[in-house]
Amino acid sequence: MCESFERAVITHCAPTLARHKCANLFVWHGCPGRTPAECVRELDAALCGKGVRLRILKENKKGCLVYVYRPRMLERKLKDAAIGAFLKQRGYTGPDMENCLRNLIDRIADCAEFPHEIGVFLDYPLADVIGFMENRGAGYRCQGCWKAYSNEQEALRRFRLYRKCREVYLSCYRRGFDVVRLTVAA
C-alpha cells in the first residue's frame, strides 16, 4: 500500500475513519509508479470490510478528487426528509445513495462552478450548506471545516472534535498504526 496515500487519507479523513463524520474529500496526485486510481482501489478493498469506501469523484491530469465515506451513515443522511427535498430541488433523482452519488459525480463534471450541495455529502449541517449558497460564502458566524451560518457553538464543537481526531490519528500513524488498524468498524 502506498504510504503517502495512507497518510493523506488519515490527514484528511480521520473523522470519517473514526465514525464521527459520514464522509471527507481530498485531492490526490498519486504515488510514484502508481496511478491515483490504483491507490484508491487498493485502500477501498482494505477498508470496505470496516464499512468505509473510497471513490473517485473526478479525475484529470493533475490528480483526482477522492471521496472517503461510510455508506450506512451517508444513506441515513440522504434519507432525511429535509435533505431529500433540498437535493430534489437541485436536480437529484431520489434518496438512493448510489443515484445521489452518480448525480453528484455528473454535477461535478458538468458544472462550471463546484456544486455547493456537496456539503450535504460531507456531513455539513443543511442550514450551513444553504447559508453558504444564499450568502455566496460571506456573512458566516464561524469557519473551520466549513463556513457555519446556523449553530455556531455546535460547529465550533465539531471543528475541535475533528481537529483532535486528526491529531490523535496522525500520532498513532507515526507510531506504526496503519490506516486499516485505525479505522473503526461499522
Side-chain angles (χ1 to χ4, degrees):
M1 192 166 317
C2 177
E3 186 177 320
S4 58
F5 185 60
E6 268 194 89
R7 183 176 174 79
V9 169
I10 291 167
T11 299
H12 298 287
C13 307
T16 298
L17 301 176
R19 292 192 64 202
H20 293 304
K21 198 169 182 285
C22 76
N24 285 98
L25 183 70
F26 69 101
V27 175
W28 178 244
H29 304 289
C31 299
R34 305 196 59 208
T35 68
E38 290 171 330
C39 297
V40 168
R41 273 193 305 274
E42 183 179 3
L43 193 53
D44 178 63
L47 294 180
C48 70
K50 293 208 170 193
V52 173
R53 302 306 308 260
L54 284 79
R55 186 178 212 149
I56 294 175
L57 299 184
K58 183 176 183 172
E59 191 168 11
N60 60 32
K61 293 176 185 175
K62 295 179 184 178
C64 61
L65 196 56
V66 180
Y67 184 62
V68 178
Y69 66 107
R70 289 190 171 268
R72 282 184 170 163
M73 290 174 73
L74 180 61
E75 186 104 40
R76 277 193 304 273
K77 183 161 217 43
L78 295 175
K79 287 183 178 177
D80 175 270
I83 290 172
F86 168 76
L87 290 175
K88 188 174 183 178
Q89 289 175 342
R90 309 276 312 155
Y92 286 73
T93 57
D96 175 69
M97 181 187 67
E98 282 304 317
N99 282 342
C100 286
L101 286 172
R102 277 192 293 279
N103 291 157
L104 178 63
I105 290 168
D106 291 344
R107 289 191 45 90
I108 289 170
D110 296 341
C111 291
E113 187 176 291
F114 201 75
H116 297 299
E117 70 270 9
I118 197 167
V120 168
F121 294 86
L122 296 172
D123 217 358
Y124 302 166
L126 180 58
D128 293 341
V129 174
I130 293 169
F132 182 88
M133 293 168 71
E134 289 175 349
N135 295 288
R136 297 189 170 148
Y140 51 88
R141 293 180 180 194
C142 65
Q143 180 178 355
C145 303
W146 69 88
K147 291 180 177 179
Y149 291 84
S150 58
N151 188 337
E152 181 178 0
Q153 293 309 310
E154 177 60 17
L156 291 170
R157 185 193 69 75
R158 286 176 63 185
F159 298 159
R160 284 189 300 272
L161 172 67
Y162 298 162
R163 190 173 28 257
K164 182 67 173 173
C165 182
R166 181 175 32 260
E167 290 168 5
V168 168
Y169 268 55
L170 284 169
S171 174
C172 290
Y173 180 71
R174 284 190 291 271
R175 291 194 320 262
F177 292 81
D178 69 13
V179 69
V180 175
R181 188 168 176 198
L182 288 171
T183 302
V184 175

